[in-house]
Amino acid sequence: MKPDGLIQDAEWNRLVRYTGSQFDEVTLSRGFLYFKQGRVEQLEMPEPALVRAAVRGSDPQPYKVEIPLETLSLASCSCPVNEPCKHMAAALMKLAETQGRSVNSLANAKAKQMLASAKPAAKPAPPLLRDGLFAEGSYSDDPASRRQDQAGRNYADHSDQGSGIARWHALFQRVTAPLEREVRNSAYADKALELILQAKRNLSPAAEQLYGLHAHLFVQQSLLQPVRIPGAAQAYSSHLGYFTHVAVGELDKAVLLSLGDSPAGVQGGEREELKELKPLLIQSLEWLRSEMLKEQRERYYFSHYYYRFWKEWLLPVFPGTELLREELAKLDAEEAASPAGLSDPVSGKSGDAAALQQARVIQPYALDATRAWLLAQLGEDEPAWERLRTAASLPSGLRPENLSNLLDIVQQTGSGARLTSWLMRLVPLLKNSRTNQLESYFAYWEAAAALDPSAGTLMWRTLEELLPAAQRFYERKLFEHGRFREWMDYQLSAGAEPLDFKVKDLQKIEKADPRLLLPFYHQAVERYVTHKNRDSYKKAVKLLKRLAKLYAKLKQTERWERFVTAFTVRYSRLRALQEELRKGKLIS
């Protein structure tokens, strides 16, 4: 529903500033998640400057959000939180979407405010040099700024090695050094980000966004570092403590938000800012590739960032195939340079611990899965398939995220035949797949069927071929497509419990054909009685009441009366059952 009011530029800018000043990053991340999950069930503007929304939270009833645009400080939510909350954030993002504004501007409002507060305001930004640093002699004259400028010059003096991004990370390492001994938790992440953003020197707007992204990436990297076990020569622990795990999850959302907010206008032309930004983007790719290739397989943070960076930042700026082919060559070079005989430093299965920590260890799965993705981008499906099959042949099997990334590319081409071909190829690799992998896989089948109706027949054949691993999806697809007889036959053969299903779902079957429910309920009633306990008798009576209604709907009341009479006589010696039948008013 599009609100009646139209937010003008001045109002929008004030709303973004308000969001950055009143919400913290965690709340904005959670609000963004609520927005993406479609939890904003109603949004309206009864008056030009008043927004009202209903946001579904943890309670059965949605929370009521009210935001007066002219007096934002009076915004309110009916949830128990007495401050700007995730429901209000979600409502603001839904408002942005309906107004055709940037949702990411609100989601990243806090981070941008922190960047802005760290920027010296007295003088304009100096020109960006080729290595990612900036001309000296253009900083504010106040003492605090002079100290920061001196620190920047010292940093430049002692960081001559490497390119702009490498120097940024060297700076990050130096300014966060005082936090080295602190526990890796959310407080550590906030402090580290604050120090890094305060150390930022004047940047162009696009470079500033990239700087903010790298600040988050650096802190995430520090949270995920293997922990050295005191007194052990080779042992490193890959386990994340609870509070570290929480901090990693929160920062992951912030990184993904930053990745989704690529610099505005980078997609067109050879503007000066874009010329300056391109070398930094290439250096960022180098850094992300390095982290992605050595990341433990059970984690997927930097792999995810790598693919998102390609999609949101690189492909819009570097159209064509040149950069993709260069990346394939770089992966070949990484593989050739990887030392033999060394294993993952976290697993500690072989080799010296110190050497393992310093070595450029390449994860074979990441290498082949990334090659498959790049080849699919190039439209070279046969070599892409061979690379993916090689990755799947490793003991750990296919990772769901890699599968989704590749199939996304195929789906975006709009070719139903190509997507169907890929889905059919993948069947042998998914025979023993986990539920989360199949969830994504069958979603692509629906997309293929929408693009090519003939794919629907193949989808059903595939569902049956992947049983029993695909049992959950087979049932769901039967139900979603209204194939209720087949769905009921499956439940009867599996001995499913009718009371495990939502009444509203079974009502759909009742509406289509009430007779389908009769054997389902009768079978369950007999099974409950054989358990011979009070709780099972109550369940049996509950279903008997449903049967009575079904027979009445089918106008077979006489048949029902014959059944319940025979049922009562057959189990007349079960006193507890007889009592429950009388309580349920099925017998007198």
Side-chain angles (χ1 to χ4, degrees):
M1 172 181 179
K2 187 173 180 63
D4 297 326
L6 182 64
I7 297 180
Q8 302 301 317
D9 289 345
E11 293 175 306
W12 170 250
N13 292 334
R14 186 169 68 250
L15 188 60
V16 174
R17 290 195 299 272
Y18 164 79
T19 304
S21 64
Q22 298 300 314
F23 292 83
D24 58 51
E25 280 201 83
V26 174
T27 301
L28 288 175
S29 295
R30 291 171 179 168
F32 183 76
L33 182 62
Y34 268 32
F35 162 74
K36 295 295 285 183
Q37 291 174 341
R39 289 176 176 260
V40 183
E41 297 179 340
Q42 183 181 0
L43 183 77
E44 59 185 4
M45 292 182 72
E47 302 173 19
L50 179 63
V51 177
R52 285 180 179 157
V55 183
R56 181 163 41 88
S58 54
D59 284 357
Q61 294 298 322
Y63 295 115
K64 302 298 183 183
V65 174
E66 187 168 295
I67 305 170
L69 297 177
E70 292 180 350
T71 51
L72 292 166
S73 59
L74 299 179
S76 63
C77 177
S78 62
C79 75
V81 179
N82 294 320
E83 58 185 25
C85 62
K86 57 189 175 185
H87 312 105
M88 294 167 61
L92 286 171
M93 292 173 197
K94 183 64 176 178
L95 175 66
E97 180 187 54
T98 58
Q99 293 279 331
R101 300 283 184 171
S102 169
V103 173
N104 280 323
S105 292
L106 294 179
N108 293 308
K110 189 66 176 182
K112 287 187 176 180
Q113 184 200 52
M114 293 173 67
L115 281 168
S117 65
K119 180 192 293 185
K123 294 187 178 181
L128 177 65
L129 302 181
R130 64 176 179 80
D131 61 357
L133 294 178
F134 303 87
E136 298 186 23
S138 58
Y139 305 101
S140 176
D141 292 329
D142 65 273
S145 293
R146 281 201 300 273
R147 286 195 298 272
Q148 183 173 328
D149 298 343
Q150 184 59 49
R153 282 192 287 273
N154 291 340
Y155 151 65
D157 292 341
H158 293 87
S159 304
D160 293 333
Q161 299 301 315
S163 61
I165 298 302
R167 292 189 177 189
W168 281 0
H169 281 261
L171 172 63
F172 300 164
Q173 185 69 46
R174 188 169 62 80
V175 299
T176 59
L179 306 178
E180 184 65 30
R181 294 184 175 274
E182 291 200 13
V183 176
R184 297 302 195 261
N185 55 20
S186 297
Y188 163 84
D190 290 342
K191 290 178 186 176
L193 281 171
E194 184 178 358
L195 289 171
I196 290 171
L197 295 177
Q198 286 176 351
K200 178 186 65 65
R201 302 169 74 181
N202 289 328
L203 303 175
S204 65
E208 184 175 278
Q209 286 183 260
L210 190 60
Y211 182 96
L213 170 62
H214 275 276
H216 286 84
L217 289 170
F218 175 84
V219 177
Q220 184 74 302
Q221 181 194 46
S222 68
L223 290 171
L224 291 167
Q225 282 297 312
V227 179
R228 176 69 178 270
I229 300 175
Q234 299 187 36
Y236 285 81
S237 172
S238 62
H239 173 72
L240 295 180
Y242 172 76
F243 293 107
T244 305
H245 186 78
V246 170
V248 166
E250 292 173 350
L251 200 58
D252 179 56
K253 295 174 184 176
V255 172
L256 292 176
L257 285 172
S258 296
L259 283 165
D261 192 25
S262 58
V266 298
Q267 299 182 26
E270 286 295 318
R271 297 180 296 104
E272 194 64 30
E273 186 178 2
L274 184 55
K275 291 179 181 179
E276 296 167 344
L277 185 65
K278 279 186 174 182
L280 295 176
L281 291 176
I282 298 298
Q283 294 160 24
S284 299
L285 175 62
E286 298 278 347
W287 189 89
L288 280 168
R289 182 198 312 123
S290 174
E291 294 301 313
M292 177 268 297
L293 288 176
K294 65 186 180 183
E295 185 172 41
Q296 301 170 63
R297 191 195 174 280
E298 59 269 22
R299 296 177 181 168
Y300 191 71
Y301 297 104
F302 287 96
S303 297
H304 195 179
Y305 306 155
Y306 173 86
Y307 294 120
R308 285 290 294 272
F309 188 71
W310 265 103
K311 179 181 177 182
E312 304 291 345
W313 292 64
L314 294 178
L315 293 176
V317 176
F318 298 94
T321 64
E322 183 179 356
L323 188 62
L324 292 165
R325 296 197 180 281
E326 286 179 5
E327 185 68 359
L328 283 168
K330 293 287 180 63
L331 291 174
D332 291 340
E334 290 276 9
E335 183 177 34
S338 181
L342 293 173
S343 66
D344 187 340
V346 174
S347 68
K349 290 183 179 179
S350 65
D352 174 73
L356 289 170
Q357 282 294 92
Q358 297 298 324
R360 288 289 299 116
V361 178
I362 302 298
Q363 294 287 354
Y365 180 93
L367 194 65
D368 284 310
T370 306
R371 283 167 167 159
W373 184 86
L374 292 165
L375 289 164
Q377 282 280 10
L378 291 166
E380 299 177 11
D381 286 354
E382 286 301 323
W385 162 244
E386 291 302 323
R387 287 297 184 181
L388 190 67
R389 188 166 60 179
T390 301
S393 67
L394 296 173
S396 49
L398 271 180
R399 178 188 268 150
E401 296 85 356
N402 285 112
L403 196 61
S404 297
N405 284 327
L406 191 148
L407 291 175
D408 277 343
I409 297 168
V410 180
Q411 181 183 347
Q412 288 164 11
T413 64
S415 171
R418 185 184 179 196
L419 182 55
T420 301
S421 174
W422 265 101
L423 292 169
M424 292 298 294
R425 286 173 184 256
L426 290 167
V427 172
L429 306 183
L430 297 171
K431 292 287 187 180
N432 300 309
S433 296
R434 298 183 298 275
T435 299
N436 59 342
Q437 195 168 49
L438 291 174
E439 181 84 46
S440 171
Y441 174 73
F442 285 114
Y444 288 104
W445 266 115
E446 293 286 4
L451 293 168
D452 180 9
S454 64
T457 303
L458 294 173
M459 180 184 75
W460 291 110
R461 193 172 76 189
T462 303
L463 276 164
E464 292 170 0
E465 189 173 345
L466 288 175
L467 289 172
Q471 172 183 341
R472 168 182 162 186
F473 307 99
Y474 183 58
E475 293 180 57
R476 192 174 74 197
K477 294 301 179 187
L478 287 172
F479 197 92
E480 289 174 353
H481 288 264
R483 299 170 67 161
F484 295 131
R485 181 174 295 280
E486 294 168 82
W487 183 87
M488 189 56 69
D489 288 343
Y490 193 90
Q491 304 309 322
L492 289 168
S493 65
E497 299 286 352
L499 296 177
D500 288 344
F501 296 95
K502 295 179 180 179
V503 174
K504 65 178 182 180
D505 289 336
L506 295 179
Q507 283 174 343
K508 294 178 182 178
I509 301 176
E510 183 179 335
K511 185 177 180 180
D513 188 351
R515 294 171 298 178
L516 295 175
L517 290 171
L518 293 177
F520 194 34
Y521 288 165
H522 276 294
Q523 183 188 75
V525 166
E526 297 296 337
R527 187 166 57 247
Y528 289 145
V529 172
T530 61
H531 294 165
K532 295 186 178 180
N533 62 65
R534 180 74 69 168
D535 184 61
S536 292
Y537 294 156
K538 289 180 179 179
K539 291 179 180 178
V541 169
K542 189 173 183 178
L543 287 184
L544 285 168
K545 288 182 177 180
R546 292 189 190 179
L547 280 168
K549 292 179 181 178
L550 281 178
Y551 280 111
K553 188 172 184 177
L554 292 166
K555 298 180 180 180
Q556 298 180 7
T557 306
E558 185 178 342
R559 181 182 175 188
W560 161 252
E561 289 176 351
R562 288 200 306 269
F563 165 75
V564 77
T565 300
F567 180 85
T568 305
V569 171
R570 183 158 25 112
Y571 296 114
S572 60
R573 301 181 66 179
L574 300 177
R575 295 182 181 179
L577 175 60
Q578 298 293 318
E579 289 176 11
E580 294 301 327
L581 289 170
R582 280 191 286 274
K583 288 180 183 178
K585 298 181 181 180
L586 293 171
I587 62 174
S588 55

